[in-house]
Amino acid sequence: MSEEKELTFEEAMKQLEEIVGKLEAGNVPLEQAIAFFQEGMRLSKWCHDKLQHAEKQMEYILREDGQLAPFSIEEE
């Protein structure tokens, strides 16, 4: 888990895309494919958690007085 703290979201996504590419190529031995799959699932969960955290941050906007306030979209 400490590795993820050093990764950026973009780096994790790049690693995940590389794993998917290797698995899609279809020429990976079974044991290595399982290891790639497990690593891909770990990276996917990490990216998902990062996105959820960012989404929660986006629910608030910084008001002019520097205070955080809930953000809502008003429909017309």
Side-chain angles (χ1 to χ4, degrees), residues 45-59:
K45 182 184 179 322
W46 187 84
C47 289
H48 177 76
D49 292 347
K50 282 291 229 186
L51 286 174
Q52 281 194 323
H53 180 71
E55 185 178 311
K56 286 180 183 175
Q57 287 180 317
M58 296 302 294
E59 292 175 357

Side-chain angles (χ1 to χ4, degrees), residues 7-67:
L7 283 177
T8 65
F9 178 81
E10 291 77 14
E11 291 168 336
M13 283 298 297
K14 183 177 179 185
Q15 286 183 12
L16 185 56
E17 289 171 357
E18 289 171 0
I19 288 171
V20 170
K22 290 175 184 175
L23 291 174
E24 286 181 342
N27 56 357
V28 178
L30 179 61
E31 286 76 19
Q32 192 173 11
I34 291 170
F36 282 153
F37 180 78
Q38 289 173 330
E39 179 66 9
M41 291 302 294
R42 187 183 63 79
L43 286 167
S44 175
K45 182 184 179 322
W46 187 84
C47 289
H48 177 76
D49 292 347
K50 282 291 229 186
L51 286 174
Q52 281 194 323
H53 180 71
E55 185 178 311
K56 286 180 183 175
Q57 287 180 317
M58 296 302 294
E59 292 175 357
Y60 289 90
I61 60 171
L62 187 62
R63 296 190 317 201
E64 289 181 21
D65 62 0
Q67 298 296 313

